[in-house]
Every structure is written in structure tokens, then in C-alpha cells.
């Protein structure tokens, strides 16, 4: 809609422009004037739809402008602005056809209310509501054409009036777009803007509505979406609309295949948690929640019931495996879903619960592994002088021999044999320094099979023979220092 502003006080014009985002409402300010004569000339030249006029202006009053417009049969909606002293005059001027009158200084809510009357939104003025159009052969459609319902995802700071005005403006814009391109029509369906497309083909509908949504968002700087389907079911699906992948969500019941896939995904997610496969869980959860919108038939309560069931099944799976769960309380799980304001918030809340089970499982496994590793290390420390083998240690921690080999290397950073030899060599150092035991005696004392094996391992780690180390450590030169291996003696 095109609009002019006229007031002999420029500050009033500037103030009105700052009160409301006219562009967002679909209103274009095409002229600004400071006297009545200029304003009248502007009306004749520009043919605006709306005029906000000061009732008392030089050259020509606002009432004179309105009377002239009526004589000329101009379709112009007029809102008067007046000072307190002109209040009675302004109120009386409504009889000449003014839509509303506002007192200076103009208040935002009163201006919105006046604009709302100008838009003639059904339900706010006594005017018959336009019926939802039936598609016909025009444009290649049929009576089976799809119906799409406009949904605006508000930012949260809009008043009810601002919302009504913006939606009505969007509806007008969409109707013009559809008719110009022979794609369909727009109308008001109850309290909701609706579009009837001349086609029922899902792919074509999606293409048309996606383009329309992009145009509306560019013009109004507001995110919107379309729900396509039966009018009776649309209200239920509004909760899910904002989180849809595209601006178009088709409302339809689940098929038998959908249900089977839904149940399969639930089981696979449980398996992914146990397997600690986060990447797979994320992928499966996204597929599951897409189907959940359909399976729950747009009902928020059903959606969080299924998600609660998923958590309860996970709790049971942990219990059956003898793993500590999170003691999920069904009542609290339901309350969590009930408290979610958006579908996105609900999806995130229950996924976080599932991820929590995975994290707990990881901590449990890590804790068990740490205990087993410490147990193995302690056993080596206490029995290094015995004939220790992988099988002996695997039996100590109740593991398969081959699994224990990789498990030990992962935790120790080296294989079992090398670690055992380092522990034995560390104990041999004290015997070389403090005793006169022969090499074969130390070998036997520390678990090496013979003196040769002991000496070979000692030289490989410390780059000198056991006797060379003994002489160096007892000579006083470097006594107590680490062997000359370029590093430190191995820790036990």
C-alpha cells in the first residue's frame, strides 16, 4: 500500500516514520508535505492508498482534503492527526469518512490500530470474510489443488496488532504474486492466511511455495513457512513447522513403511549408544525425529511421549547389560518435553539425554579399563621375578589373551614384553649397586631366564653392560646417576 504524510510540523512526520516499520507492513511512503495544498496535489499525482493528515494545515485543512477526495470519488483511506484543542473537530471529521483520528503526540499502539482498520482485516471490521478459493482449470489445476497455510515465525517482540497487520500485508503480497504468475489465489481461512494452488503435485507445490517464502522473507525480513494439508490437521502441526528442513511442510499421516522404519531406527539408536558411535547416533536421531513428526501426527504430546519411551528403553538396555544407568524418571522426562516451547528445543533436550548415556558409558568403560590396567601393573610389580606371560596377566584381569595384548599396549604405550623387561631391569639396578651378586644370580632374582638374556636386555636399554654400570656407579664418578642411555631408567 502507498501512503503520504502531511503535517505542518516536520517533527511530527519524522516521529511517525520512526514509530512503525512501514516497509515491513508492506506500506511505502511515497510523499511528505507540510501544507494542505501540496498534500492534495500529491494525492492527485501519486494516487496513494493511505494518507496520514494533520487536520489543521496552511492552505488547505485535512477535512477539506478529505471532502475533495470524496467529491472526486478517490479511493483514499485517511487517518487524521490533531492537537488536543482540535480534538472535537477531528472526531466530528470521521463522519466525512476518515478511518481514525489520533491525538498528538502520536502513540505507536494507536497508530497500529488505525492502520489495522485501513487494512480491513477480516474479524476487525464488519466485512464478509473472503472464502478460501477452490482451484479450477485456470493455470492447469483442478479442484484437487493443494492448500497451503502461512505460518510466521515471529522474533518475539511484535505486538498482536503488528502481527495481524504484517500477516495481512503478506497475504496481499502473496495473492498478487500467485495471480500474476497464474499459480493460485490467496484468502483468509479463519484466523490464518491460506493459499490455494492450482496444482496438487507435491514437487511443484514445494517449488512454488519455496520461491514465495523467499520473496516474502526478502521483503518483510521475517522468517515464514507453509503448512500444506488438511485444515483440521494444520493446527496440530504448527509446533513442528519452524524446525522443518525447508519452508514447506506437508502434513500427512505415516505409512506402514514409515512406522517400520521408525521402529528400526529406535533399535539402531540404542545399539549406537552402546557402541559409543556418536556420528551414527546423530544421523539416526535426525532420521528418527523427521519420521516422529509424521508418526505423532503433529501432536506435541505424542512426540515427547515417544522420545520419553526411547530414553526409558535405553535405561532398560543399560540395566540388562549390567551397566549403571542415569535413573531416568518418567514423570520428569514428560515434564521436560511439556516445557519445551519449540520442536527444535525438544529435539535438542532429548538428544542431550541420549548423549549423556553415551558419555556415562564411556566413563564407565574408561574406569573399568583403568582399574584393569592398574591391576595388571600391580601384579607385574609384585610378580616380575616369576615366569609372567600374556596368558597369566590376561587371566588376572579376566580378559582374552589377544584382547589383553592390544589393551595393554594401548594403555602402557608399549607392548607387554617390553614393559615387563623394563620393570625387571629397574629392579636389577639396585642389586648391581648394593650387592655383589653375579649376573646369573641377578637374572634369576629379577625374572630373566639366564645371564645372557639379562645382559642383552640391559645393553639394549642402557647401552652398557651390567658390569660396566656396576663399576661406574661404585667408582664415585656418576654414582647414583641414570645409566648412559640418553634418557631415564624405566619407571615401575
Amino acid at each position: 500500500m502507498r501512503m503520504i504524510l502531511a503535517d505542518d510540523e516536520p517533527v511530527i512526520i519524522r516521529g511517525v516514520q520512526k514509530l512503525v516499520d512501514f516497509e515491513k507492513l508492506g506500506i511505502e511512503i511515497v510523499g511528505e508535505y507540510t501544507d494542505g495544498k501540496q498534500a492534495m496535489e500529491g494525492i492527485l499525482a501519486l494516487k496513494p492508498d493511505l494518507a496520514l493528515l494533520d487536520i489543521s494545515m496552511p492552505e488547505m485543512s485535512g477535512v477539506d482534503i478529505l471532502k475533495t477526495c470524496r467529491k472526486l470519488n478517490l479511493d483514499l483511506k485517511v487517518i487524521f492527526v490533531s492537537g488536543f484543542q482540535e480534538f472535537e473537530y477531528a472526531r466530528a471529521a470521521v463522519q466525512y469518512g476518515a478511518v481514525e483520528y489520533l491525538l498528538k503526540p502520536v502513540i505507536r499502539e494507536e497508530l497500529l490500530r488505525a492502520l489495522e482498520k485501513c487494512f480491513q482485516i477480516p474479524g476487525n471490521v464488519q466485512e464478509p470474510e473472503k472464502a478460501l478459493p477452490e482451484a479450477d482449470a485456470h493455470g492447469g489445476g483442478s479442484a484437487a489443488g493443494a492448500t497451503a497455510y502461512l505460518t510466521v515465525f515471529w522474533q518475539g517482540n511484535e505486538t498482536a496488532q503488528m502481527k495481524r497487520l504484517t500477516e495481512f500485508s503478506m497475504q496481499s503480497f502473496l495473492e498478487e504474486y500467485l495471480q500474476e504468475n497464474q499459480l493460485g489465489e490467496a484468502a483468509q481461512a479463519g484466523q490464518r492466511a491460506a493459499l490455494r494452488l492450482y496444482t496438487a503435485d507435491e514437487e511443484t507445490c514445494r517449488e512454488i511455495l519455496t520461491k514465495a517464502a523467499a520473496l516474502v522473507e526478502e521483503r518483510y525480513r521475517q522468517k515464514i513457512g507453509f503448512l500444506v494439508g488438511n485444515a483440521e490437521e494444520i493446527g496440530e502441526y504448527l509446533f513442528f513447522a519452524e524446525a522443518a528442513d525447508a519452508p514447506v511442510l506437508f502434513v500427512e499421516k505415516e505409512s506402514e513403511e514409515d512406522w517400520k522404519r521408525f521402529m528400526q531406527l529406535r533399535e539402531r539408536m540404542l545399539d549406537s549408544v552402546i557402541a559409543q558411535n556418536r556420528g551414527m547416533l546423530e544421523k539416526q536421531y535426525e532420521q528418527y525425529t523427521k519420521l516422529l513428526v509424521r508418526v505423532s501426527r503433529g501432536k506435541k504430546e505424542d512426540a515427547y511421549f515417544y522420545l520419553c519411551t526411547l530414553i526409558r528403553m535405553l535405561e532398560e538396555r543399560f540395566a540388562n547389560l549390567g551397566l549403571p544407568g542415569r535413573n531416568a524418571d518418567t514423570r520428569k522426562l514428560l515434564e521436560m518435553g511439556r516445557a519445551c516451547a519449540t520442536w527444535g528445543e525438544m529435539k535438542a533436550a532429548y538428544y542431550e539425554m541420549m548423549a549423556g548415556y553415551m558419555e556415562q558409558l564411556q566413563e564407565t568403560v574408561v574406569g573399568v579399563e583403568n582399574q584393569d590396567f592398574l591391576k595388571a601393573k600391580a601384579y607385574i610389580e609384585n610378580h616380575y621375578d616369576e615366569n609372567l606371560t600374556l596368558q597369566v596377566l590376561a587371566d588376572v584381569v579376566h580378559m582374552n589373551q589377544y584382547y589383553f595384548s592390544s589393551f595393554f599396549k594401548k594403555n602402557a604405550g608399549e607392548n607387554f614384553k617390553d614393559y615387563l623387561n623394563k620393570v625387571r631391569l629397574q629392579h636389577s639396578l639396585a642389586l648391581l649397586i648394593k650387592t655383589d651378586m653375579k649376573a646369573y644370580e641377578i637374572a634369576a632374582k629379577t625374572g630373566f631366564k639366564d645371564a645372557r638374556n639379562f645382559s642383552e636386555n640391559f645393553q639394549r636399554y642402557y647401552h652398557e653392560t651390567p658390569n660396566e654400570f656396576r663399576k661406574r656407579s661404585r667408582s664415585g664418578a656418576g654414582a647414583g646417576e641414570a645409566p648412559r642411555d640418553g634418557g631415564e631408567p624405566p619407571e615401575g
Side-chain angles (χ1 to χ4, degrees):
M1 301 183 79
R2 292 155 58 82
M3 181 177 183
I4 68 162
L5 304 175
D7 197 295
D8 59 353
E9 297 179 75
V11 67
I12 297 294
I13 294 176
R14 291 195 299 272
V16 167
Q17 288 176 312
K18 291 180 180 179
L19 278 179
V20 172
D21 187 342
F22 286 97
E23 183 181 353
K24 194 171 184 179
L25 292 177
I27 299 174
E28 180 186 4
I29 306 297
V30 295
E32 301 171 19
Y33 308 98
T34 54
D35 69 58
K37 185 178 180 181
Q38 290 177 354
M40 190 67 236
E41 291 172 351
I43 291 169
L44 294 172
L46 301 172
K47 296 182 172 55
D49 305 292
L50 306 175
L52 186 73
L53 306 176
D54 184 6
I55 203 163
S56 178
M57 290 183 289
E59 304 293 337
M60 195 173 186
S61 73
V63 174
D64 290 335
I65 292 174
L66 181 57
K67 288 180 179 179
T68 303
C69 290
R70 294 296 172 260
K71 287 180 182 178
L72 297 174
N73 293 319
L74 298 179
D75 185 14
L76 177 71
K77 295 179 175 64
V78 173
I79 299 171
F80 281 133
V81 179
S82 70
F84 182 76
Q85 66 275 13
E86 301 151 347
F87 173 68
E88 291 300 326
Y89 181 37
R91 187 169 61 179
V94 173
Q95 64 181 306
Y96 296 110
V99 174
E100 188 59 276
Y101 57 89
L102 306 174
L103 275 176
K104 298 178 182 179
V106 178
I107 298 172
R108 182 175 185 273
E109 292 305 314
E110 292 179 353
L111 175 59
L112 285 171
R113 191 178 299 114
L115 291 171
E116 190 176 351
K117 288 184 177 181
C118 293
F119 273 84
Q120 295 186 340
I121 299 176
N124 295 297
V125 294
Q126 298 303 313
E127 197 172 281
E129 183 175 312
K130 182 179 177 182
L132 186 66
E134 290 293 332
D136 53 30
H138 183 73
S142 69
T147 303
Y149 297 83
L150 173 67
T151 300
V152 184
F153 305 116
W154 303 105
Q155 303 303 312
N157 56 355
E158 301 88 351
T159 64
Q161 288 173 324
M162 190 73 172
K163 289 178 180 179
R164 287 196 298 269
L165 286 166
T166 303
E167 283 189 1
F168 189 78
S169 179
M170 286 178 179
Q171 178 184 325
S172 300
F173 174 77
L174 287 167
E175 182 167 29
E176 183 178 342
Y177 166 73
L178 292 176
Q179 290 181 346
E180 280 183 359
N181 294 279
Q182 297 186 338
L183 298 171
E185 299 177 51
Q188 192 79 9
Q191 296 300 312
R192 184 170 300 284
L195 311 181
R196 171 59 63 82
L197 304 181
Y198 295 142
T199 177
D201 178 70
E202 183 171 321
E203 187 174 341
T204 305
C205 289
R206 191 183 299 278
E207 183 179 333
I208 293 170
L209 295 172
T210 300
K211 175 69 179 299
L215 292 172
V216 169
E217 290 178 22
E218 180 182 0
R219 180 183 179 93
Y220 295 91
R221 301 188 300 279
Q222 189 77 50
K223 183 182 177 184
I224 72 162
F226 292 103
L227 292 166
V228 184
N230 190 298
E232 287 74 28
E233 298 173 342
I234 291 298
E236 296 281 5
Y237 279 84
L238 288 177
F239 178 74
F240 300 95
E242 190 170 8
D245 291 339
V248 184
L249 176 62
F250 285 83
V251 175
E252 52 190 345
K253 294 181 180 179
E254 83 282 2
S255 65
E256 189 66 29
E257 287 302 313
D258 288 335
W259 180 254
K260 289 179 181 177
R261 176 66 175 157
F262 182 73
M263 301 301 285
Q264 287 172 355
L265 283 168
R266 187 166 69 178
E267 290 299 321
R268 290 175 184 175
M269 280 190 291
L270 301 180
D271 292 340
S272 293
V273 171
I274 300 300
Q276 303 172 55
N277 190 333
R278 184 178 291 271
M280 184 59 70
L281 176 64
E282 289 177 359
K283 182 178 178 181
Q284 291 165 344
Y285 187 75
E286 193 59 35
Q287 295 172 352
Y288 178 82
T289 49
K290 280 183 182 178
L291 283 174
L292 180 55
V293 174
R294 198 174 297 169
V295 169
S296 64
R297 301 187 180 184
K299 295 182 179 180
K300 174 183 177 181
E301 294 79 7
D302 286 7
Y304 64 69
F305 173 80
Y306 281 119
L307 290 169
C308 288
T309 301
L310 179 63
I311 301 300
R312 289 301 308 166
M313 290 179 68
L314 193 54
E315 183 78 23
E316 290 173 10
R317 179 72 67 89
F318 268 54
N320 291 338
L321 292 173
L323 297 169
R326 302 185 71 190
N327 299 317
D329 181 84
T330 303
R331 183 177 59 82
K332 289 183 179 178
L333 287 173
L334 290 170
E335 287 175 355
M336 182 176 74
R338 195 174 294 120
C340 292
T342 66
W343 174 226
E345 182 184 345
M346 185 182 289
K347 281 175 61 178
Y350 285 97
Y351 178 79
E352 190 176 323
M353 287 286 293
M354 294 194 73
Y357 277 89
M358 185 180 292
E359 290 166 6
Q360 180 157 324
L361 180 58
Q362 289 170 343
E363 291 172 2
T364 301
V365 171
V366 169
V368 170
E369 287 190 349
N370 283 340
Q371 291 173 17
D372 287 341
F373 179 59
L374 292 174
K375 187 176 181 180
K377 283 180 67 177
Y379 192 87
I380 291 170
E381 186 64 32
N382 294 324
H383 301 270
Y384 66 89
D385 56 342
E386 299 175 8
N387 182 27
L388 291 184
T389 63
L390 269 175
Q391 186 62 61
V392 171
L393 267 294
D395 290 343
V396 167
V397 294
H398 309 291
M399 287 186 188
N400 175 277
Q401 175 184 340
Y402 302 104
Y403 175 74
F404 177 76
S405 177
S406 60
F407 159 77
F408 190 90
K409 186 172 183 179
K410 182 181 78 170
N411 285 276
E414 58 188 330
N415 64 42
F416 165 72
K417 184 177 180 181
D418 288 341
Y419 180 86
L420 175 60
N421 283 336
K422 287 174 103 174
V423 172
R424 287 169 168 170
L425 288 171
Q426 184 181 17
H427 285 278
S428 75
L429 296 177
L431 296 176
L432 286 168
I433 295 171
K434 298 178 181 178
T435 73
D436 292 324
M437 293 173 68
K438 304 296 184 183
Y440 69 89
E441 293 175 314
I442 293 176
K445 186 74 172 175
T446 54
F448 290 102
K449 62 182 180 180
D450 53 40
R452 182 179 178 182
N453 180 249
F454 165 54
S455 182
E456 286 176 350
N457 276 284
F458 197 96
Q459 288 184 74
R460 181 156 59 91
Y461 282 110
Y462 300 134
H463 310 295
E464 61 183 342
T465 66
N467 283 333
E468 287 173 341
F469 168 72
R470 175 176 273 169
K471 289 177 181 179
R472 183 172 59 83
S473 62
R474 290 184 176 183
S475 67
E481 294 180 359
R484 295 171 298 183
D485 63 347
E488 296 181 354
E491 294 181 358

